[in-house]
Amino acid sequence: MESEKTFEFSDYFRALHKRRHLIVGIWLPIVLVFVLLAVALPNVYTSKALFQLKTDPNDQTKGDNYADHYVSVLAGSVLESPDLGEAMDSLAPYPQRAGDRLAALTKLKGDVSVEMVTQKILDPGSGLQRNINTGFTVGYDNRDPVRAQRVATWLANAFVTESRRSAVAQANNEAKFYEAQAGKTRARIIETEARLAKFKQENLDRLPDAAQANLNVKNAADQELEGVDRDVRTLQQNRVFIVQQLQQARAT
């Protein structure tokens, strides 16, 4: 068995040895091309900034689509803002295009990359693993490492500023919405109170709240009526007695 294995391996290496010229002829040009590309192509340096998103795995109302949309809108606001165009002179990302700001700005936008950062978690609903967006990176490529870092730093600060401005604008819009809703609710309350007051005024003696008061008034009226009846009976008795006395006086 060992002799058969040795014979097979020896045949294998013998075949490779016979075709060594063919192998070298195929692989050598490929290796040379890669070496030439590595030497000839300029070095590109990438500077990145990492941003974390506040995410709640148990909150299903704002999923990954919301995070993607938020980052996309944020990146568009930063890259299309007038501040970036005004900062081109101070950033000077491409000295060879210093006289053409529009071309330099277009190339800078092409060298900027925004990528989402994901993390695997256990979905509490399904019990399976899924990826959620926990943040994003903003990167900038340039042949000069100093310029790459300078532009990436400016972009990071711009993303933070734009994020805060967007949050303030959203909070103001929500505050205006809730204030408008509160005003409508106050108006409805005032209108309802006015209708209730008018109804009470028109139906004061028929309201459930006035039942006890009406009952007290009725009892008082019944007691007063009983007292008047007693007084009437007493007066009638006195009248009969006086009439008898008058008849006796006349007879005498």
Side-chain angles (χ1 to χ4, degrees):
M1 194 66 158
E2 294 179 358
S3 60
E4 291 181 0
K5 287 185 178 180
T6 305
F7 178 76
E8 291 177 358
F9 282 119
S10 63
D11 288 345
Y12 176 74
F13 286 112
R14 189 179 298 110
L16 290 178
H17 182 71
K18 289 181 180 180
R19 293 173 176 81
R20 65 184 183 278
H21 297 291
L22 179 60
I23 295 174
V24 172
I26 294 175
W27 285 99
L28 184 58
I30 297 175
V31 174
L32 290 176
V33 169
F34 278 104
V35 172
L36 290 176
L37 289 176
V39 174
L41 290 178
N43 294 328
V44 177
Y45 298 91
T46 302
S47 182
K48 289 187 177 182
L50 175 62
F51 297 89
Q52 291 184 348
L53 297 174
K54 294 181 179 179
T55 57
D56 185 3
N58 297 323
D59 188 4
Q60 300 296 331
T61 59
K62 294 183 178 181
D64 293 340
N65 293 332
Y66 173 82
D68 291 336
H69 177 71
Y70 170 76
V71 174
S72 177
V73 172
L74 186 62
S77 300
V78 172
L79 296 179
E80 299 300 332
S81 65
D83 297 337
L84 181 58
E86 296 176 357
M88 290 299 294
D89 294 335
S90 59
L91 295 175
Y94 311 106
Q96 67 276 13
R97 301 188 182 185
D100 192 349
R101 177 185 293 184
L102 181 59
L105 181 60
T106 303
K107 180 171 175 52
L108 186 144
K109 293 179 181 179
D111 292 336
V112 174
S113 61
V114 179
E115 299 177 354
M116 299 300 299
V117 178
T118 61
Q119 180 182 357
K120 287 186 177 181
I121 65 166
L122 186 64
D123 192 346
S126 62
L128 302 176
Q129 285 188 346
R130 67 182 180 92
N131 292 329
I132 63 170
N133 294 322
T134 58
F136 64 97
T137 60
V138 179
Y140 172 69
D141 300 335
N142 197 294
R143 297 178 182 178
D144 188 347
V146 177
R147 292 190 178 92
Q149 183 179 7
R150 182 167 60 236
V151 175
T153 302
W154 188 94
L155 290 173
N157 294 331
F159 268 79
V160 172
T161 302
E162 181 63 22
S163 177
R164 291 175 179 174
R165 188 201 63 78
S166 177
V168 171
Q170 182 178 0
N172 291 334
N173 292 334
E174 291 179 356
K176 291 180 181 179
F177 172 77
Y178 291 132
E179 184 178 358
Q181 294 298 319
K184 294 179 180 179
T185 303
R186 283 194 297 268
R188 287 198 299 268
I189 292 175
I190 293 174
E191 182 182 359
T192 303
E193 289 180 347
R195 291 203 307 266
L196 180 60
K198 182 179 179 181
F199 178 80
K200 286 184 176 180
Q201 185 178 4
E202 295 175 352
N203 303 273
L204 181 62
D205 55 346
R206 289 179 291 178
L207 295 176
D209 296 341
Q212 186 62 38
N214 294 335
L215 182 61
N216 295 334
V217 173
K218 178 179 180 301
N219 293 334
D222 292 341
Q223 293 178 0
E224 184 177 0
L225 181 60
E226 291 178 357
V228 172
D229 290 339
R230 288 194 300 270
D231 293 340
V232 170
R233 288 193 297 269
T234 300
L235 292 175
Q236 288 177 350
Q237 292 176 358
N238 292 336
R239 179 177 178 277
V240 172
F241 178 73
I242 293 173
V243 168
Q244 291 177 354
Q245 287 183 344
L246 180 59
Q247 291 176 355
Q248 291 177 0
R250 287 177 180 178
T252 302

